[in-house]
Amino acid sequence: RISQLTLTIAALVLLIGCNNNNRYPPDEWNGSDCGLHESPRFAHVNAPIASELLRETLKKDHGTGIAAAVILDGELVWSDAAGRSGNRNNPELTPSASMRLGSVSKPITAALIARLYDLGLLNVDLPIQQYVPEFPQKNDTLTLRHLMSHTSGIRHYNFSSFAESNSQAQYQSLSESLFLFSDDPLLFPPGEQYAYSSFGYNLAGAAIENALGVSFGDALQEYLVQPMMLERTGTDDPALFVPCRQAFYTVAFGRIPLHTIWRNNSDAYPKA
């Protein structure tokens, strides 16, 4: 028990000790630009109830911050945020915050692939080596359709590996990150089972980059973000200034929020 306690304390010290040297630029959060004193939008009769539920959800989840909005018939009728941004003096989060989508990036990547398919720029049923020739041949044909539906047999993260779960590496292309899993055997023949896989979307993103000859971020902007007029949607590039981007947290013991080291998502843009 003493050893376990010592390791736990050491881990917490490590997380806190990384606080000052491993964060995005603090000037990304500015009180005036990010609506530091912004009030919730109460344009709908149920808006106050929604704001209260938002705060109850954050408290119940022991999270650090949450933002939400409701649009009816194309009109924004409510938006609010709760919690803290983690930047500078840790001001309150506002609806202007740039929030990371996490794995909600996957359906966006799938929508991008569907759009490219409609334009004849990708075929979801060709062997993946057609677009990513450096990916090793497996015993069975692996396609973009398998990758998007989590039936590829490619494994998920190994969360005990820091390089996978909290990468600090900067990759210039998604193909550069494929070594993390490319040589591992498939869990099952493609199409025979379902197994959630973030790495499958790594490979799908590499296919997009190679097919179009541009970065995943540029493809996303040209074929999905701009046509849909998503003005504040893009990749979480640590080298770029992103206004109102919140800081990283780790929730220890299920309830203690710690401002912690940031993750470089250059290997994870399609699945994030």
Side-chain angles (χ1 to χ4, degrees):
R1 291 181 180 178
I2 294 177
S3 298
Q4 290 177 345
L5 178 59
T6 301
L7 289 174
T8 300
I9 294 174
L12 291 176
V13 170
L14 174 62
L15 290 172
I16 297 171
C18 293
N19 185 37
N20 294 323
N21 299 319
N22 293 281
R23 63 170 66 180
Y24 286 108
D27 57 354
E28 289 185 321
W29 193 275
N30 178 281
S32 58
D33 296 338
C34 302
L36 183 58
H37 303 292
E38 184 176 281
S39 299
R41 302 187 186 190
F42 290 158
H44 191 276
V45 64
N46 291 326
I49 299 174
S51 289
E52 182 61 27
L53 286 173
L54 192 71
R55 281 153 180 76
E56 289 179 4
T57 298
L58 181 65
K59 183 177 180 180
K60 182 179 180 180
D61 190 56
H62 303 292
T64 56
I66 185 172
V70 174
I71 296 175
L72 293 177
D73 299 324
E75 180 184 359
L76 178 65
V77 298
W78 170 77
S79 66
D80 199 1
R84 299 284 174 174
S85 70
N87 299 70
R88 289 191 177 179
N89 297 319
N90 201 19
E92 292 184 10
L93 203 66
T94 75
S96 298
S98 295
M99 306 290 284
R100 295 176 185 84
L101 296 179
S103 286
V104 180
S105 301
K106 292 183 178 69
I108 293 178
T109 299
L112 173 60
I113 291 174
R115 176 61 176 154
L116 296 175
Y117 175 81
D118 286 343
L119 295 174
L121 299 175
L122 277 179
N123 187 323
V124 298
D125 293 311
L126 289 177
I128 195 61
Q129 288 78 14
Q130 180 78 20
Y131 301 109
V132 192
E134 64 269 32
F135 190 76
Q137 291 279 349
K138 307 297 180 178
N139 293 333
D140 298 272
T141 300
L142 180 62
T143 69
L144 278 168
R145 188 183 297 274
H146 294 133
L147 298 173
M148 288 191 295
S149 60
H150 298 284
T151 60
S152 66
I154 292 177
R155 69 175 177 87
H156 189 43
Y157 286 134
N158 173 7
F159 286 101
S160 65
S161 168
F162 188 86
E164 294 184 16
S165 61
N166 205 76
S167 173
Q168 297 279 290
Q170 175 67 34
Y171 296 99
Q172 299 306 311
S173 70
L174 290 168
S175 291
E176 290 184 6
S177 69
L178 299 183
F179 75 93
L180 292 168
F181 63 93
S182 60
D183 291 332
D184 296 340
L186 298 180
L187 302 178
F188 48 80
E192 288 196 2
Q193 298 181 43
Y194 172 91
Y196 186 85
S197 172
S198 286
F199 279 142
Y201 271 74
N202 273 49
L203 184 54
I208 293 172
E209 289 188 336
N210 292 345
L212 302 181
V214 300
S215 69
F216 178 83
D218 287 345
L220 183 70
Q221 290 293 323
E222 180 176 353
Y223 292 99
L224 199 67
V225 170
Q226 293 176 4
M228 295 185 68
M229 296 182 288
L230 303 174
E231 297 178 358
R232 296 181 59 191
T233 300
T235 55
D236 183 32
D237 188 339
L240 297 179
F241 176 84
V242 179
C244 306
R245 176 163 49 184
Q246 86 285 14
F248 277 92
Y249 280 92
T250 291
V251 178
F253 307 113
R255 60 177 60 242
I256 303 175
L258 297 173
H259 187 189
T260 186
I261 55 179
W262 53 269
R263 189 192 195 285
N264 187 317
N265 283 314
S266 58
D267 69 319
Y269 294 146
K271 43 98 175 191

